[in-house]
Amino acid sequence: MGAILALLVTGNDFNVISLIGVILLIGIVKKNAIMMIDFALEAERVEGKTPDESIYQACLLRFRPIMMTTMAALLGGIPLAFGSGTGAELRRPLGITIVGGLLVSQVLTLYTTPVVYLYFDRLARRLSRHRSGAYVEGARAAVQEQ
């Protein structure tokens, strides 16, 4: 979303080079979310924390590495986005895509990943209660038939 918006604002077309930038963004954002979720799951399993506590701790402890990765990629894309000279018209869409996409996706990742994590945890609990309730009812029915 941020990559397309940045390309629209700067008046650049979405081309193959921009697509390469989007693929790069997908990898970075995916890695950031996996880092946060993996740490939260580990805190739940090993330390016995609740999902709320574990994702909160994961957000606090993984914030710095996530920001370091994002800032390295973002600062590496700035010369591409604003550079001039021979071949700049080919590199500029890549830089704009990286910078715009990382700015938007970083904010979305930091705020939405914990929310989605907690949502899926609650959904899994509901489904497990529903399944265990259906299992108990099925067992009761089988006993009554005998």
Side-chain angles (χ1 to χ4, degrees), residues 21-146:
V22 170
I23 292 169
L24 178 107
L25 286 172
I26 291 170
I28 292 172
V29 172
K30 175 189 61 73
K31 180 203 65 69
N32 290 343
I34 287 172
M35 243 194 333
M36 196 181 303
I37 300 249
D38 184 46
F39 195 86
L41 287 173
E42 188 71 20
E44 266 188 72
R45 291 178 186 144
V46 173
E47 299 172 21
K49 294 188 176 201
T50 66
D52 292 342
E53 292 171 340
S54 66
I55 195 67
Y56 180 72
Q57 181 182 9
C59 289
L60 291 177
L61 295 176
R62 297 289 101 194
F63 179 74
R64 183 171 168 237
I66 288 171
M67 287 304 293
M68 287 170 58
T69 303
T70 301
M71 292 308 290
L74 190 127
L75 293 174
I78 288 176
L80 294 172
F82 295 111
S84 61
T86 307
E89 63 276 355
L90 182 68
R91 294 185 303 267
R92 188 168 291 128
L94 178 64
I96 292 169
T97 303
I98 292 170
V99 171
L102 282 174
L103 288 174
V104 172
S105 69
Q106 188 64 25
V107 171
L108 288 175
T109 300
L110 290 174
Y111 286 110
T112 60
T113 301
V115 172
V116 171
Y117 178 80
L118 292 174
Y119 173 76
F120 277 118
D121 179 68
R122 289 181 184 132
L123 180 65
R125 286 183 187 184
R126 270 192 222 132
L127 289 175
S128 68
R129 275 186 281 174
H130 178 71
R131 286 183 184 157
S132 65
Y135 177 75
V136 169
E137 289 176 19
R140 285 183 191 155
V143 168
Q144 289 175 355
E145 289 177 5
Q146 292 177 359

